[in-house]
Amino acid sequence: MSEYQLYCFAQSGNAYRVALMLNLIGADWEPVFVDFFVKGVQRTTEYRAEVNEMGEAPVLVHGARKLSQSGVCMTYLADRSGKFQPQGEDERLEALRWIIFDNQKVNGYLGPYRFLRTLAKPPGDPAVLAFLKGRIDGNLAIVEKRLAARPFILGERPTIADLSLVGYLYYPPEEFGFDIAAQHKNIAAWLGRIKALPGWKHPYELMPGYPLPG
Ligand SMILES: N[C@@H](CCC(=O)N[C@@H](CS)C(=O)NCC(=O)O)C(=O)O
């Protein structure tokens, strides 16, 4: 058995953060498929009792330890590997600030937007989609501005704050109905820098469950 197991599925940008980090740090890991769309395993009593009481993916398993919340999983991996780790109190707080902003307002809106637009059956209410799109545009503009002055979110080197913020950003533009990279040149360049890191893989290559069964 591999050292780490990650409960995940290909369409999950929340899980992708952790899968990508595991790959980038060269960890010995394997995915455990969460059948989110067909069986809805994350909603079962068993999953909530044995895997994650919050009913979510990702969950990172390391020996007897089970961690959820991608920000927590990445912090754990950064502390153990020394890679993508914010250095010192100021950087640690700054990374946490961007991870929370991301979870709530960047990928925290992008994930549900893409789900309601492209994956949910029936698709979401247009008024809800319009609300989310307004929030997404405003928050992507904040990230775009941040990246105008520095190559990575905290400065000169990539940290877990970057790996959090890229969560949904490599999925195909058709799934969102708009092209984030084409509309944000600093975000596009930053996505390119992260993509160039050794071990980078696309979410559909890294995690099981793509394509979805017809
Ligand atoms: N903030 C969490 C978000 C996790 C999350 O919402 N995961 C989704 C899958 S992408 C989920 O499992 N949702 C449960 C459900 O909708 O039933 C993280 O970063 O890990």
Side-chain angles (χ1 to χ4, degrees), residues 11-80:
Q11 293 76 15
S12 170
N14 291 308
Y16 177 59
R17 301 180 180 114
V18 185
L20 178 61
M21 176 151 182
L22 285 162
N23 239 46
L24 293 176
I25 67 174
D28 173 30
W29 73 283
E30 63 193 326
V32 179
F33 178 52
V34 176
D35 189 346
F36 185 92
F37 292 101
V38 178
K39 295 192 182 139
V41 257
Q42 75 286 358
R43 300 231 161 129
T44 61
T45 315
E46 294 75 22
Y47 190 89
R48 289 178 182 206
E50 284 156 33
V51 183
N52 182 4
E53 66 184 324
M54 294 179 184
E56 293 179 339
V59 171
L60 178 69
V61 182
H62 188 214
R65 208 187 283 267
K66 275 196 187 101
L67 298 171
S68 79
Q69 293 299 332
S70 56
V72 170
C73 302
M74 290 189 300
T75 299
Y76 180 74
L77 293 172
D79 288 350
R80 287 188 63 87

Side-chain angles (χ1 to χ4, degrees), residues 123-197:
D125 183 323
V128 174
L129 287 167
F131 167 79
L132 291 173
K133 179 67 166 60
R135 305 290 290 188
I136 290 164
D137 288 345
N139 295 324
L140 284 173
I142 289 169
V143 178
E144 174 73 1
K145 182 161 179 282
R146 175 85 183 171
L147 291 167
R150 48 186 76 68
F152 296 101
I153 292 294
L154 297 194
E156 294 305 313
R157 57 191 173 79
T159 65
I160 54 175
D162 299 276
L163 302 184
S164 187
L165 274 155
V166 300
Y168 282 86
L169 302 188
Y170 291 110
Y171 288 103
E174 313 80 78
E175 295 182 0
F176 298 99
F178 60 101
D179 189 334
I180 295 167
Q183 291 162 9
H184 301 86
K185 70 175 173 43
N186 301 328
I187 290 178
W190 164 74
L191 288 173
R193 286 190 281 276
I194 292 171
K195 196 171 175 177
L197 296 172

Side-chain angles (χ1 to χ4, degrees), residues 111-129:
Y113 180 84
R114 165 174 164 270
F115 176 78
L116 290 174
R117 183 188 178 277
T118 304
L119 300 165
K121 291 187 180 93
D125 183 323
V128 174
L129 287 167

